[in-house]
Amino acid sequence: MKRNIEHTAMVAVAGSGVVWGIYWIPLRALTDAGVSGAWAVFLFYLIPTLLLLPIYFLRWRNLMRGGLPLNFSGMLAGASLVLYAGALIFTDVVQALLLYYLTPLWSTLLARVTIGETISATRWGTIGLGLVGLMIVLELDAGFYWTFNVGDVMGLAAGIVWALAAVRMRSDDKNNGLDFTLSYFAWGSFAALLLTSLPQAGTYSAPDWQSVVNVLPWLVPVVGFLVVPPAFAVMWGATLLSPGLLGILFMTEISAGVVTAAIWAGEPIGLREITGIGVISLAGLWEPVIGLVKASPRTKNLTAGCDRRS
């Protein structure tokens, strides 16, 4: 039963990565509508928080009982993904992706140090496959010229902070995925508001209210269907899955982003991109498939037979 729940969580997290891989579409639409940069990110956090207000009121006792551990985890998760969004604004997308998607490495190492989680050979292989696929997609062999700026710092910090958040949620047996989600959106809204105050070109000036009102009829349902459910799936998955595996499964965002940009934005996709997506997909499937094979009755029978003969 537990394994079935974990496999469901794996699928949910990987699916959430796919959904978040198409965030560029509504973000680009917001830019075209006059809501740009950090203010678009702020709307993507504020609107879900407002939509979830009835649930906040229904669960206020649970949120109060969650106390500092719940709020600290939500603060880390919210800050992490806002920092990642900031990295996409303030630096090259390639550098932001590379720095943030070192997350599986940080998560695995932190889980080992803080909660004593064993790092299996399968996990190292999965991390290696994911990083190789990432390098292929980003074409790092063609040259990667580093210019360390505030966006790069945000990208690196986002991956480390998410690793801390994932470890915190995995080790917390008193709070659940729903309450983590509520805490994440509340603290994420606050972090996104702080992002708009940074003296950087990507923050831009506050949009006029008419521009915001004009986007609400389509933005509210988009947020309701494409932001809230994936966020819950990720926070729920964080309570069940290894932090390192969580980061690996979430790399489906890269594949989804590349494919959808090729289809709807006319960005080129060739053999290199297809190969990289295939390797990343293999990384995401590797550990769950190995687990299913080991858990299958046939494998157990073969193992038992070998043990009897030995």
Side-chain angles (χ1 to χ4, degrees), residues 51-139:
L51 290 176
L52 292 170
L53 277 179
I55 303 178
Y56 281 101
F57 286 121
L58 287 173
R59 298 190 63 82
W60 71 270
R61 289 187 177 86
N62 299 71
L63 296 173
M64 292 295 291
R65 279 196 296 268
L68 183 60
L70 174 64
N71 281 281
F72 187 55
S73 296
M75 191 185 303
L76 289 173
S80 167
L81 294 178
V82 168
L83 282 169
Y84 176 48
L88 293 172
I89 295 170
F90 298 129
T91 191
D92 294 338
V93 173
V94 169
Q95 293 182 193
L97 284 169
L98 177 64
L99 289 166
Y100 180 71
Y101 278 103
L102 292 172
T103 297
L105 181 59
W106 308 135
S107 299
T108 299
L109 295 176
L110 277 170
R112 174 60 182 169
V113 172
T114 59
I115 59 178
E117 188 175 89
T118 302
I119 307 176
S120 65
T122 301
R123 174 62 50 78
W124 283 120
T126 303
I127 291 173
L129 278 172
L131 293 178
V132 167
L134 176 62
M135 288 188 288
I136 292 172
V137 168
L138 300 182
E139 201 175 8

Side-chain angles (χ1 to χ4, degrees), residues 12 23 83 113 206 220 226:
Y23 267 10
L83 282 169
V113 172
V220 171
L226 295 184

Side-chain angles (χ1 to χ4, degrees), residues 53 58 129 141 160 175 197:
L53 277 179
L58 287 173
L129 278 172
D141 60 322
I160 296 172
N175 295 296
S197 65

Side-chain angles (χ1 to χ4, degrees), residues 26-36 207-208 210-212 214-215 218:
L27 281 174
R28 183 169 293 184
L30 281 176
T31 299
D32 294 340
V35 184
S36 303
D208 62 85
Q210 189 58 50
S211 296
V212 175
N214 290 341
V215 301
W218 63 263

Side-chain angles (χ1 to χ4, degrees), residues 214-289:
N214 290 341
V215 301
L216 288 180
W218 63 263
L219 183 59
V220 171
V222 164
V223 166
F225 289 104
L226 295 184
V227 176
V228 176
F232 170 72
V234 171
M235 301 305 154
W236 173 64
T239 66
L240 298 171
L241 303 175
S242 159
L245 179 58
L246 189 74
I248 292 162
L249 292 169
F250 208 57
M251 292 179 79
T252 52
E253 179 183 353
I254 301 169
S255 302
V258 172
V259 171
T260 56
I263 296 172
W264 288 305
E267 295 187 8
I269 181 170
L271 181 60
R272 174 180 58 79
E273 288 85 0
I274 294 171
T275 302
I277 290 170
V279 174
I280 291 171
S281 301
L282 180 61
L285 292 171
W286 183 259
E287 195 162 340
V289 169

